[in-house]
Amino acid sequence: MKFTQVSQYLPVLALVFGYAYPQTSGNAPSADDPAVQEHLKRRTALISEEKLQRQGMSNNHYSDSPTQSSYIPGAKSKADHDFRSTLSPVAQQAEAIVGAIRQYEIENFWRKPAGIELEDNERFAGEMFANAKPLIPSTKLWGIVSRMPKGSLLHVHSSAILQFETIFNILLETEGIVITASQDVSTVLSAENATLAFSHVSDFAADPKVANVSIESPYYVPGTKVPVTYAAESFSGGRSAFIDFLMTKVAVTRDEVLRHDLGVDEIWRKFQSCFDPAGSTMTYEPVIRKTYQSVFNAWVDDGITWVELRSGGSAKLVPEGEDTVNPDLDFWIHVLLDELQKFQATEKGKGLWGVRIIWADFRGLESSRLLSNMEKAIERKQHFPDLFSGYDVVAQEDLGRTLLDLAPELLWFQNRTQALNITYPFFFHAGETLGDGNSTDDNLFDALLFDSRRIGHGFSLYKHPLLLEQYVEKNILVEVCPISNEVLRLSTDILHHPIPAMIAHGVPTAISNDDPAILGEDSAGLSFDFYQIIQGFDNIGLGGLGALAQNSIRWSNFVDQSQEEWIRDIDLGLNGTGIKAQRLKQWQEKWETYCQWIVEEYADWNATLIVNH
Ligand SMILES: *[C@@H]1O[C@H](CO)[C@@H](O)[C@H](O)[C@H]1NC(C)=O
Ligand SMILES: *[C@@H]1O[C@H](CO)[C@@H](O)[C@H](O)[C@H]1NC(C)=O
Ligand SMILES: *[C@@H]1O[C@H](CO)[C@@H](O)[C@H](O)[C@H]1NC(C)=O
Ligand SMILES: *[C@@H]1O[C@H](CO)[C@@H](O)[C@H](O)[C@H]1NC(C)=O
Ligand SMILES: *[C@@H]1O[C@H](CO)[C@@H](O)[C@H](O)[C@H]1NC(C)=O
Ligand SMILES: *[C@@H]1O[C@H](CO)[C@@H](O)[C@H](O)[C@H]1NC(C)=O
Ligand SMILES: *[C@@H]1O[C@H](CO)[C@@H](O)[C@H](O)[C@H]1NC(C)=O
Ligand SMILES: [Zn+2]
């Protein structure tokens, strides 16, 4: 082929392969031509202008020396843009290094085309979490993200806080634990259909229902209580196979989460079926005590300093050495507070500022039962004013009662707490749906009108321009749970998640993990969710991740506050005078130390930066 012939195809080749081709006839201007430069100038200006709209439009209404007294309501300064434009030099350098590492891994670790007929080996950055999860821990980016100070965990449900393997091991080490099955698990079908439960028997010999019989035996009589150690030993494959089997009952499996073709309701049925067996693992006092210690440790290890736990307040526990529940609704709360105090008295425990509870009722309850639960919620708040933080209704939003339908009960609750002079704000799940304009999606309107201080998920919020504006205006933060949303089939993977739209519209967001032990994260911390976010979106970067962590503290409900005080302290951020500002400062110090660590640990990436630029 002669050169002239080749040059004919160069434009096409350039399109396909993306390389610059030599100028032959001078048709196109060179890159430094004023016309090209002019285009570049306008392009840069346009991108910067758009970035101004990201969380924090910098329309600060503060005077030169902002103090509480110079505060003007409505000022907005919500991280992302503001946080990132004021990064310290060290943080900027850390951000550049992390950006280079991420890009390197996208190209060299993740981008792995599979051979023909080996499609399952295809690998790419941002792929489905269930496929990426075993690979993530071997990346450098994971090493970085897992050490990050994450701030507050604002959205997590108490039945799914700790990986069940740890809990099963605690059960196996605890004397007197038995397992019962609704049917024997001798066939594939019966194993799939059986429901399991754990309980405590103080004297095996005295209980006629206790027997050493394998749950895999066709002679297993439903309801027979098998000592859990015997059940494990007698299980084919032994203890580890037994634990694997138990896992299928309390958590979604990899195969299940990949089946997006089966839709939202199908995965929710499996998800809901996990709660009873999962809950039964945590009904015996010594087990729950150890579980709390494990999870507090795991949170601190992951850089989490504050937790707001959604919990059905009616949980009842079997006291140590006994076989029946203590009917006192305060019992489990004493146990929780006791363990928290013990943990916080240790050196490591200083890293956990505390835990509060958002009382969470099942949204399917009919009116009289819901009202009676609300009474209990108010009573607990009166007994433990520091512990109870807010109120929510939970379970599948699509199939449960809508906030509109619940309006009479919710208004009753508001009225009642007001009359009692109790601060009990709402933190609703809202917009956890694929709907657009149906009754589930409309919960986003009700949550706003009920002054929900934050909302859980807000997955459908990005479709509503007016609501986006008003959520920004009213300082309502969205607790985004990216992996939960993916596993529950709202987004097929992180790349299809709407969080970039929320951030770009200026809506405050923070990252949470929702039900990490049930929804396949199999870990107590936030690192996987943080990893997904920084891995998925070029617009985030280390600075954006830091902004999300800072938001989580800014929107933490550390102490009871009136609506006005709540908004004021969010607006003032670091410049406030209360506990929130104090903790934001503490986080900021950790953040700077962390950035310094990145710069030192990954110093050899400094050279790469120069080459890449
Ligand atoms: C599945 O479990 C339910 C509830 O225990 C029971 O009624 C049903 O017969 C079981 N089906 C099979 C096929 O075992
Ligand atoms: C049941 O099995 C355990 C071992 O798992 C054993 O220690 C115990 O003695 C057995 N009990 C009876 C009644 O066979
Ligand atoms: C609020 O409570 C007052 C009495 O304390 C009652 O008169 C009023 O009807 C209540 N409103 C609602 C919406 O429940
Ligand atoms: C309501 O409670 C606050 C403190 O939580 C207190 O300062 C105020 O005096 C109380 N108001 C009434 C009417 O009891
Ligand atoms: C709203 O629409 C979504 C998407 O079709 C659907 O999954 C959900 O069940 C709907 N909610 C209701 C209450 O119909
Ligand atoms: C805090 O005050 C500084 C000036 O001292 C200002 O630049 C910054 O924007 C303020 N931060 C917030 C969150 O208002
Ligand atoms: C490399 O490190 C040096 C010293 O820490 C720093 O001054 C410089 O800005 C770094 N280069 C880049 C490209 O970040
Ligand atoms: Zn949730």
Side-chain angles (χ1 to χ4, degrees), residues 205-469:
D207 188 332
K209 287 201 126 176
V210 174
N212 274 358
V213 53
S214 168
I215 58 171
E216 286 180 306
S217 155
Y219 303 110
Y220 173 84
V221 177
T224 303
K225 299 172 179 171
V226 183
V228 70
T229 45
Y230 182 86
E233 280 164 26
S234 60
F235 203 81
S236 51
R239 179 169 163 148
S240 73
F242 178 64
I243 289 180
D244 288 348
F245 172 61
L246 296 180
M247 283 304 290
T248 67
K249 297 295 180 183
V250 294
V252 296
T253 64
R254 179 176 173 277
D255 290 344
E256 285 161 350
V257 307
L258 293 177
R259 292 296 306 270
H260 273 247
D261 55 326
L262 297 176
V264 172
D265 291 354
E266 197 267 352
I267 191 70
W268 265 91
R269 282 199 298 276
K270 162 70 195 211
F271 178 41
Q272 304 270 35
S273 81
C274 295
F275 280 93
D276 280 346
S280 85
T281 65
M282 288 181 261
T283 51
Y284 185 48
E285 182 190 345
V287 176
I288 194 87
R289 282 184 185 275
K290 285 188 189 150
T291 300
Y292 284 144
Q293 289 305 326
S294 275
V295 79
F296 297 156
N297 267 286
W299 284 337
V300 171
D301 286 341
D302 197 54
I304 294 167
T305 43
W306 173 260
V307 178
E308 291 178 32
L309 194 58
R310 280 175 169 83
S311 180
S314 308
K316 293 195 193 85
L317 283 184
V318 175
E320 174 152 27
E322 296 181 20
D323 298 357
T324 51
V325 295
N326 183 334
D328 179 1
L329 288 181
D330 288 349
F331 179 56
W332 75 272
I333 300 169
H334 286 298
V335 171
L336 168 66
L337 291 174
D338 190 33
E339 290 304 318
L340 185 59
Q341 208 170 34
K342 259 193 248 167
F343 180 69
Q344 286 179 311
T346 66
E347 193 49 40
K348 189 170 183 181
K350 293 196 182 89
L352 186 63
W353 297 328
V355 175
R356 288 191 95 186
I357 290 180
I358 296 172
W359 182 287
D361 275 324
F362 176 54
R363 70 183 319 132
L365 292 182
E366 45 87 22
S367 189
S368 64
R369 282 202 50 204
L370 184 59
L371 288 174
S372 128
N373 276 13
M374 285 174 162
E375 294 269 22
K376 287 180 195 153
I378 292 169
E379 223 173 76
R380 300 282 89 60
K381 172 76 182 170
Q382 287 170 318
H383 295 182
F384 305 95
D386 295 339
L387 183 65
F388 286 91
S389 150
Y391 183 86
D392 188 14
V393 283
V394 296
Q396 190 180 1
E397 214 182 311
D398 281 323
L399 301 184
R401 295 181 64 189
T402 60
L403 294 179
L404 172 64
D405 186 34
L406 290 163
E409 290 92 332
L410 296 173
L411 288 169
W412 176 88
F413 181 87
Q414 267 186 337
N415 200 10
R416 182 100 185 100
T417 49
Q418 242 162 45
L420 293 166
N421 193 25
I422 289 174
T423 308
Y424 222 154
F426 294 132
F427 294 88
F428 289 132
H429 280 70
E432 188 184 9
T433 184
L434 289 174
D436 174 40
N438 70 8
S439 63
T440 322
D441 183 38
D442 286 351
N443 282 335
L444 290 168
F445 291 92
D446 300 279
L448 180 98
L449 294 173
F450 276 117
D451 291 324
S452 195
R453 288 189 177 182
R454 308 188 300 250
I455 60 163
H457 302 293
F459 190 89
S460 61
L461 183 63
Y462 74 101
K463 302 170 187 173
H464 300 275
L466 181 66
L467 286 180
L468 285 166
E469 234 171 67

Side-chain angles (χ1 to χ4, degrees), residues 113-134:
I116 201 159
E117 289 187 347
L118 292 169
E119 291 90 346
D120 286 352
N121 292 346
E122 181 80 21
R123 214 196 256 186
F124 63 98
E127 65 178 306
M128 287 174 116
F129 177 68
N131 288 336
K133 185 176 173 250

Side-chain angles (χ1 to χ4, degrees), residues 60 62 64-66 77 554 570-575:
N60 267 314
Y62 300 106
D64 289 343
S65 56
S77 175
R554 208 158 168 184
I570 289 170
D571 274 348
L572 284 170
L574 275 162
N575 296 329

